[in-house]
Amino acid sequence: MTAAPSPFGRRYTREVEPLRIALVQMAPRLGLLDENLEHTHQWLAQARRDGAGLVVFPELALTGYLLQDLNADVAMRVDDPRLLALAGDTEGLSAVVGFVEESEDHRLFISAALLEDGELRHVHRKVFLANYGLFDERRFFAAGSVIRAVSSRLGVRLGICSCEDFWHLATPALLALDGAQLLINISSSPGRDVAAVNEVGLGTASSWRWMDRTYAQLTTSYVVFVNRVGVEESITFWGGSEVIGPAGDTRFSAPLHDEGLFLVDIDLGDVRRERIALPLLRDERPELLLRQLERLIRERAAEDPLGRSAAEPAAWEPEAEPVL
Amino acid sequence: MTRPDAQVAPPPADLELPEELAIDTGVAKRIITEFIRAQLRQAGFERAVLALSGGIDSALVAFLVADAIGAESLLCVLMPYRTSSPESRTDAQAVVELLGCASTLVDISPMVDGYFGTDRGDPTTLRRGNLAARMRMAVLYDHSVTWGGLAVGTGNKTEGLIGYTTIFGDAACAFAPIGDLYKSQVRQLARVVGVPDTILAKRPSADLWAGQTDEDEMGLRYRDLDRLLFWMIDRRRSPAELTELGFEPAVVDRVARMVAAAEFKRQVPPIAKLGPRTAGVDYLYPRRRPGSERR
């Protein structure tokens, strides 16, 4: 597990690639950056003692969620010594940590950092900000504009994203096409709808469970979902972190609402076995997707609110055959 | 040990839980107890006070608070008025004894009657009821200081939505654990946590005079009202769609008006915007943030 990555970030998959994942289902303290940093150092130390190779923290683990105008007070640049000190704790480890990132031009992002071998290796800026119902993220944060997988010391590419990003199909689709074999979603998901008919008694949990299993199966990848716990104002975060295997099979479900570090052992070789048996990714057609998306974007740009059909002929143009 | 359920008469049919309102009581209880603990901790408190009336709402909240922080940290304040029913007091005392929490009794009759006296005409029931609710609030907040605990709200979603509350009276609190549960759901959860059957079985009442019930006053059964509010508010059905679901158009119209008319009771009063940053408008912070806890 600690073998050095090849210059290409990949190495040949052995039949059994054991990986111990630590899911840190923690309750960040709202606005208390220093305290949360300290707890994160402690969780990392515990995960290391427990033999984890990958440690995953929730979205905004270092700051809490309902920040509103506290957002700028807890923001860190990617060269912030406190963030780099946290990276310093990751010798021989991979860790994904949620924080508020301030860019050089002072935009604030909900970001996820990949820390490995003492370095900050990658930052994902939340692309799809939740801004409806009880969510108001767009008022306080800028939206990221990149969805890409990243090579890792673990020998496989990781697809890191943040909470609402998963509610858009493009996210798992792009990450898998970009070579991710582990999709990692870090969340601050508030629980709602306690109707008795819901699976595990909570509507939000039912939705996420459906989503995680479906994405794992359709991308033939592992899905690692880490959701926080704790209470902020009216909302209670429900935890229920999970690891789903590449066949959509549940490997682990953490209890709802309990804080804790949960260890899950997986075999990365299962991704290869599933993809040989079920070559969905092989058969994806990104060039077709791109052509159709370009058509849709053209049509939308020419959309007439009164519904007149000036833009329609474009839809009737025969599609050019792909040149392969 | 099993509970002697067989000896308990089933509730009247119109007190039964509408199917679509049934909640997962285990998850709801967990969320509410986490919520209570967090509200206190984040405010720097370990204790709580609440007004215990003998009705189902405050009984449920008392059980939930005792479960969340321990009965020894809870003070129940019983505040009867001279026209309150003696059964209410008996039922409230039963809750106190079951939980083993602290309690105190403050008769608010002298406060209410002292204000109205003889020279303010004959106050309407509404005025008397509102003043009673606000005297209880004042007494409760005084006990909040002496007990060193936060005042826990006991209002439910049904009364909050239709405005069957007194603003700055029973609606005043530090936080509201059951404010998102309809009355039918309050009863479902109360049954599970062990609220006594006598409280579960009786008709909800503001207890302002003998024989008063909420349902007579509102002219609606909670069961019907809860279902209507659920489809109207939570499921976003239009008046036409609600009629198709079988609700009387006149009732739909009346309840929709009650909900709209009570909007002011559910919100912080607006501040006239003058400066660069105005609380609640463009100065937005969580209620509990670093430095906000009591020291």
Side-chain angles (χ1 to χ4, degrees):
Chain A
M1 271 196 304
T2 52
S6 79
F8 308 104
R10 299 180 167 108
R11 57 198 156 89
Y12 193 78
T13 313
R14 296 193 304 269
E15 279 198 9
V16 176
E17 292 274 345
L19 173 65
R20 176 166 290 182
I21 308 174
L23 313 177
V24 185
Q25 186 167 295
M26 64 186 282
R29 302 288 299 275
L30 186 60
L32 295 174
L33 182 59
D34 292 339
E35 193 173 314
N36 291 322
L37 276 162
E38 192 187 322
H39 289 158
T40 304
H41 279 287
Q42 290 164 0
W43 288 114
L44 268 175
Q46 185 184 332
R48 177 187 299 283
R49 282 196 301 275
D50 291 339
L54 170 65
V55 192
V56 184
F57 292 86
E59 180 184 62
L60 296 176
L62 298 183
T63 64
Y65 178 75
L66 274 182
L67 292 160
Q68 299 184 297
D69 286 351
L70 293 170
N71 56 358
D73 299 351
V74 296
M76 289 187 287
R77 288 177 33 155
V78 291
D79 58 355
D80 191 295
R82 293 167 294 184
L83 198 56
L84 298 179
L86 205 56
D89 274 9
T90 60
E91 203 57 53
L93 273 181
S94 304
V96 179
V97 182
F99 69 111
V100 175
E101 181 206 347
E102 181 168 346
S103 62
E104 274 190 31
D105 58 352
H106 311 299
R107 286 173 296 157
L108 306 177
F109 295 93
I110 298 174
S111 288
L114 173 65
L115 312 174
E116 286 194 325
D117 285 336
E119 292 175 8
L120 175 62
R121 288 269 169 85
H122 171 81
V123 171
H124 170 78
R125 294 170 167 172
K126 189 174 190 174
V127 169
F128 295 103
L129 297 177
N131 218 59
Y132 54 85
L134 71 169
F135 303 108
D136 202 12
E137 294 176 6
R138 213 150 179 154
R139 180 186 164 92
F140 300 101
F141 293 102
S145 43
V146 178
I147 296 175
R148 66 186 314 165
V150 57
S151 295
S152 153
R153 58 172 283 286
L154 299 170
V156 293
R157 282 167 74 76
L158 308 177
I160 298 169
C161 61
S162 198
C163 204
E164 187 78 2
D165 285 337
F166 242 27
W167 283 86
H168 295 264
L169 285 168
T171 304
L174 286 170
L175 290 173
L177 282 172
D178 202 12
Q181 300 190 28
L182 245 79
L183 304 184
I184 300 173
N185 182 282
I186 63 171
S187 279
S188 292
S189 170
R192 51 215 188 272
D193 186 11
V194 292
V197 292
N198 291 314
E199 187 191 356
V200 298
L202 191 65
T204 328
S206 305
S207 306
W208 274 98
R209 291 162 73 94
W210 276 101
M211 218 154 52
D212 291 342
R213 283 153 186 72
T214 306
Y215 290 165
Q217 174 69 98
L218 295 185
T219 63
T220 49
S221 305
Y222 277 102
V223 167
V224 178
F225 167 69
V226 175
N227 185 29
R228 61 164 291 183
V229 291
V231 181
E232 290 179 3
E233 310 289 281
S234 289
I235 61 181
T236 302
F237 302 92
W238 54 277
S241 303
E242 292 200 301
V243 175
I244 310 298
D249 51 317
T250 306
R251 299 296 176 86
F252 175 78
S253 296
L256 267 52
H257 300 116
D258 289 345
E259 185 167 41
L261 182 152
F262 303 96
L263 299 170
V264 188
D265 289 315
I266 65 166
D267 175 3
L268 289 170
D270 286 350
V271 175
R272 178 175 187 269
R273 279 183 282 277
E274 183 64 19
R275 289 183 179 186
I276 297 291
L278 189 66
L280 300 179
L281 279 176
R282 180 197 70 188
D283 298 341
E284 284 294 336
R285 300 280 303 278
E287 77 294 340
L288 178 150
L289 190 65
L290 178 63
R291 277 204 317 279
Q292 299 306 319
L293 286 174
E294 283 172 345
R295 174 178 66 77
L296 284 171
I297 291 163
R298 255 195 338 268
E299 288 174 11
R300 279 195 177 188
E303 200 172 64
D304 178 2
L306 299 182
R308 286 168 300 207
S309 57
E312 269 182 23
W316 292 93
E317 282 172 16
E319 297 288 340
E321 279 304 305
V323 183
L324 297 174
Chain B
M1 201 178 98
T2 54
R3 283 159 46 89
D5 285 334
Q7 296 166 24
V8 178
D14 60 337
L15 282 183
E16 276 172 18
L17 178 69
E19 190 183 359
E20 67 267 50
L21 292 187
I23 57 169
D24 187 302
T25 50
V27 173
K29 187 181 166 203
R30 178 72 193 267
I31 290 175
I32 292 171
T33 48
E34 293 282 352
F35 171 83
I36 292 167
R37 279 193 289 269
Q39 296 301 322
L40 291 173
R41 187 184 62 242
Q42 292 167 10
F45 284 78
E46 289 169 0
R47 299 171 118 189
V49 291
L50 63 84
L52 191 70
S53 67
I56 193 167
D57 296 331
S58 57
L60 171 59
V61 174
F63 272 81
L64 291 168
V65 170
D67 192 75
I69 62 172
E72 70 282 0
S73 300
L74 169 65
L75 172 68
C76 287
V77 189
L78 284 61
M79 292 176 278
Y81 181 59
R82 59 182 163 75
T83 57
S84 301
S85 109
E87 288 81 49
S88 297
R89 190 166 148 187
T90 318
D91 289 340
Q93 276 165 341
V95 169
V96 168
E97 276 161 35
L98 269 171
L99 293 177
C101 61
S103 72
T104 183
L105 187 128
V106 179
D107 179 3
I108 60 162
S109 308
M111 302 170 72
V112 175
D113 296 346
Y115 170 76
F116 285 120
T118 52
D119 57 352
R120 289 178 202 274
D122 184 23
T124 57
T125 317
L126 178 72
R127 284 176 63 205
R128 199 180 285 279
N130 278 339
L131 191 73
R134 293 187 179 118
M135 290 301 108
R136 291 192 176 107
M137 180 278 294
V139 171
L140 184 67
Y141 269 80
D142 184 53
H143 281 84
S144 170
V145 177
T146 55
W147 180 253
L150 282 186
V152 187
T154 59
N156 64 61
K157 187 171 187 171
T158 309
E159 65 185 22
L161 282 173
I162 64 168
Y164 196 58
T165 61
T166 298
I167 189 170
F168 311 124
D170 56 309
C173 63
F175 56 91
I178 61 166
D180 205 19
L181 290 180
Y182 289 110
K183 192 78 174 188
S184 315
Q185 297 169 328
V186 166
R187 181 171 286 103
Q188 186 196 357
L189 187 55
R191 190 177 295 279
V192 173
V193 301
V195 171
D197 291 317
T198 49
I199 296 176
L200 294 175
K202 69 183 178 185
R203 296 234 164 253
S205 169
D207 200 17
L208 295 172
W209 63 83
Q212 182 196 25
T213 71
D214 294 359
E215 294 178 327
D216 289 347
E217 265 208 282
M218 299 184 298
L220 291 162
R221 292 283 173 218
Y222 269 117
R223 185 190 152 84
D224 302 328
L225 180 57
D226 287 352
R227 282 194 64 235
L228 174 54
L229 288 169
F230 173 77
W231 286 104
M232 182 188 287
I233 308 288
D234 296 279
R235 292 285 179 245
R236 299 171 190 260
R237 294 296 197 273
S238 71
E241 291 164 334
L242 291 167
T243 306
E244 276 178 39
L245 284 169
F247 295 102
E248 294 270 350
V251 174
V252 170
D253 185 57
R254 188 171 147 233
V255 171
R257 280 166 196 270
M258 290 166 98
V259 172
E263 214 60 71
F264 77 95
K265 294 189 184 181
R266 291 187 288 271
Q267 298 184 25
V268 176
I271 297 173
K273 172 78 177 159
L274 295 169
R277 273 185 105 188
T278 309
V281 180
D282 44 17
Y283 171 87
L284 299 175
Y285 283 92
R287 291 167 66 93
R288 302 300 175 197
R289 58 148 160 154
S292 68
E293 65 275 12
R294 184 180 67 151
R295 289 180 198 281

